[in-house]
Amino acid sequence: MKWEQKGQSPDILLSLCPPWGVLSPPLGLAYLAESLSTHGIGVEICDINVLLYRQVDQTDQRLWQTTNDAFWRDSNNTSSLLNKWKTQITLLTDSIADSKSPIIGFSVIDPNEHFTAQILRIVRKKAPSKTIIVGGPGCTDLYQRQELVEESADAIDYFLIGESEQSLPRLISLLKHSKPVNNFPNLINAHSTLAYNREQRIRPNLDTIPFPKFNNFNIALYGGMSLAVMWSRGCISRCLYCKERALLGQYRMRSVESIVDELKYCIETLGINNFVLYDSTVNGNPKRLQRVCDEIIRQQLSITWSAEAIALKSMSSTLLKNMRKAGCHTLVYGIESGSDKILSSMGKLFDSITATKVLQRTHEARIKVAINILVGFPGENDFDFQQTIDFLVKNSRWIDRLDGVSSLQVVCNTPLEKHAADFGIVLPENDPHDKWKIANGNTFEIRQKRLLDVLEVAYREGFEVGRTFLTDVAPQPMKNRTQIHYPASSAHNNPATTVSQQVIPHTVSSSSPPPYESHLKDGQELNSGDDSFKKILIVTCQSLPISGKPTTGGSLRAYNLGQGLEKCGHQVLFSLPTQCLTTDIEKDQWQDLAHTGYNIKDIISKTDAEIVLFCNWGLAAANTPCEIPSIIDMNGSLILENYYRQHSQPFLDSITKLNALANTDYIIAGSETQKAYLTSWCLMSGKNPDSLTICTVPFSLSAQMPDSQDNNEIQFILAGYDWPWLKGTQQIRAVCEELAHSQNSSLHLFTSTAPYSDSINEDSSSDTSGNLYSLNFPALVKHEPVDFYELTKNLSRSSVALDLWQKNPERDLAFPSRTVTYLWSGLPVITNSNGELSKLISDYNAGWIIDSEDISQLRVLTREIINGSIDIAQYRQNAQKLFTDHLCRENTIRNLNNFCCQPFLNRTISPFLAKYYFMRDLSRRLQTLKRVDENQLKYQEKLLYENKKALYDKKKECELMGMVHRRPKGLAVLFSLPLIQKRFHRLIIGTPVLIYLSVLTLIGHTLHILWTRRNRS
Ligand code: SF4
């Protein structure tokens, strides 16, 4: 199909490539054509967009749906389309090349850039002598122009930027008469430089531009049912995510006469009386809008129209009813959020209450209410998003349609893009507009999830749903949706200018399974390839078990958490304390990221880590606040451990711990008991019960377990550090005494007296008690400390393990790493009845649960084991089964992995902590003054005789300090001088008021009595 050429000797051919609206002629080209014609310049139009749409099959026509915009943004897709539609495109480009117009103009609008560039390349080949000018919002930025030039193989001669109704006719005249155009405003010669030679802001008075008469268009191609019209340009708002202001400037509205004239022309000449306003907002000038409506009503123009509007207070019932009378059938409001905080951050001119009122009034005026929702604006947390959901539910009776539900795109040249760093926005190289993220968990995936939540509400509440922006990016047209590109309305939906119409390619759909649902076997990757993998820095306070040194449970835990996260697909880095790097291998491997305990922020910025995992709260507290999402592994109670280590400073430890919790985003507990214990700490730190983020990771050893080795001997084993809170001498003695009766049984002890290196607690001399190592029994075989590899070999050779200690608060809370390691090695364990794993061990017959105080029970059990009356092999199998079922990383690390995939900030501070820090600062400030006693003051009084004011202030501060430190308690409160003074003051002020009120009351009563008596008499 060839387009219909109208008029003679055209000077310019204007064209537009797909995808764009097909139900109305493209308004931009129509305005240009009208202006050119008015200036006597011959114009012809070749709307490749609609011509191609009419020629391709129905399936391909779905590509014009706005939901498939992402498809066009991929140059590979557009290349395949060019191949697929080769015949049609050859015909169209031949027509353009054969046209008599020496100049060809193309309009570039997202997402038609790639297609346009490739068409330009063909046209240039076919018509090398024609001058090609490109304009439109898709070439306003330098990088857009660079891409177009590159992709079109230098097919473009000029770019003309900005509103061109006035400049294009002048330019064509100059080119037509071969006059120089070097200094032409906003014209860029694409063969020399892509930067402006002379930039000029052109914002014409809209009444000076003729409205389109569509003489050059074949209206029938578009169905002839409705027309896009423009009553204004620019916007009164400056929403941070929107490009409208940058492109079109302040709000300018056409005169009432001009608007009405155009409507009359369309009705009378074109026979069209249904219009779609293409304005960013119809109510930027409510008074003029009122007059337009009045005029339409007065002239009895029988029209219908729809428009976009801002939910301003000025949208009164009167205005809305008039709009309805004037034919307005639908208003689309860019409500975007139900959170006032987010609305204000966006720069919206209304709050949620105003929005509610306007929606209600619109509904009551019998105008259909459509709204747009935008999720993921920086700062939008779960609470804000919930407010949006609540808003939709609360206002569902006023809302008819959800016109667009979109996820925020960071669009070039918007204030949001220019200040992305201030918002904490990270723009990835690949697909930055969509896949941007913020460290607090505002990721593409979360935004997609929120879109689904909004849609769920929409369907539940029975709204019509327009653009959902949830489309799979695929090389074929997808869902059979009904929306197609339509220059329907304002910049809220303008693909060139704002977010809403820029369709989001997505990889999450409602049918997508939750990421980690299936039961995974060892060796299977937990995550499938997407960008949810993070770079995680694990900060330990000990060496790692692969360093060739003896290991602790904490070290094993940290290393295996890292291994587990790596298995999930994350990149894991370790930062070890500098003083732990004692071997050459350690220095080689970890020197670069070694920490001093207080320099984690430097390491984070050095490594670009996205998440930091601290292996205890001491490390976390020393590095608050952390700018990236942080996790603390809080297995065990460090406060209790510190107590047994004689490092105890309960108050300071508690405050530090609360501070660490308040500043962390995610917490790992070792067990359910620990989780309950940590919940109360978290609440004290100010965390909201609804946003507690504590997961339980008992351990994360691999399901790959060591093979058991046959051993003729009955070998008991006890391995691990000799911590001061572990008291098991009695139990070991009892076992050893029983073992002594047997020829081939022994207890092997793998422990160490060496203090372990701790970067926070400088004095670690009390970290080992040395109790175990000092034990001497004939059946006790003491080994030199070995590394984890050697220990594992010994564990697999053993028959039974011991993890049996006197009860104490630390043991009650501990999750026994060594028991987990025993089970992993296939060792049945004799352990305490109060241990976290005792129930599981008992259920699986994976060991023996005894009361640690009941030594006789232990003796009997030991004898039974030695006598061979217990099937140890079966117990070994059970131990490994228990581990596989409950403790291997594939089953334990999921929640942690989920957080790492979608991390977020969850920080807070309790009033208590805030008060503490305030008082601490105050105390520090006054510390020097505290020491100033009365004599010193008198002495200073002499010295400061000349400066009584300074002395007075100092005295006051001393008094305040005194009050802080000597708060009266008990009865003293009653007699404390300052309090008595305070009450006395109150009495002096309060007494006259009291007397005054009493007199008033008495007078009132008296009058009332007198009045009653008089009435009676
Ligand atoms: S989003 Fe809408 S109201 Fe806000 S600046 Fe853009 S066009 Fe104006």
Side-chain angles (χ1 to χ4, degrees), residues 692-704:
L692 284 182
T693 43
I694 311 175
C695 78
T696 307
V697 182
F699 225 81
S700 67
L701 274 166
S702 160
Q704 196 69 46

Side-chain angles (χ1 to χ4, degrees), residues 406-462:
S406 49
S407 151
L408 179 74
Q409 280 196 320
V410 180
V411 177
C412 282
N413 264 342
T414 57
L416 191 66
E417 194 253 354
K418 286 181 186 158
H419 302 283
D422 297 344
F423 288 96
I425 292 174
V426 180
L427 297 165
E429 264 183 28
N430 193 15
D431 203 359
H433 304 316
D434 287 317
K435 299 284 174 70
W436 61 272
K437 62 185 170 186
I438 298 179
N440 70 356
N442 193 341
T443 60
F444 178 71
E445 290 73 25
I446 288 180
R447 295 192 291 276
Q448 290 289 304
K449 161 85 178 54
R450 288 186 179 166
L451 287 189
L452 288 172
D453 289 349
V454 171
L455 283 176
E456 196 187 313
V457 175
Y459 292 129
R460 204 174 59 221
E461 298 295 333

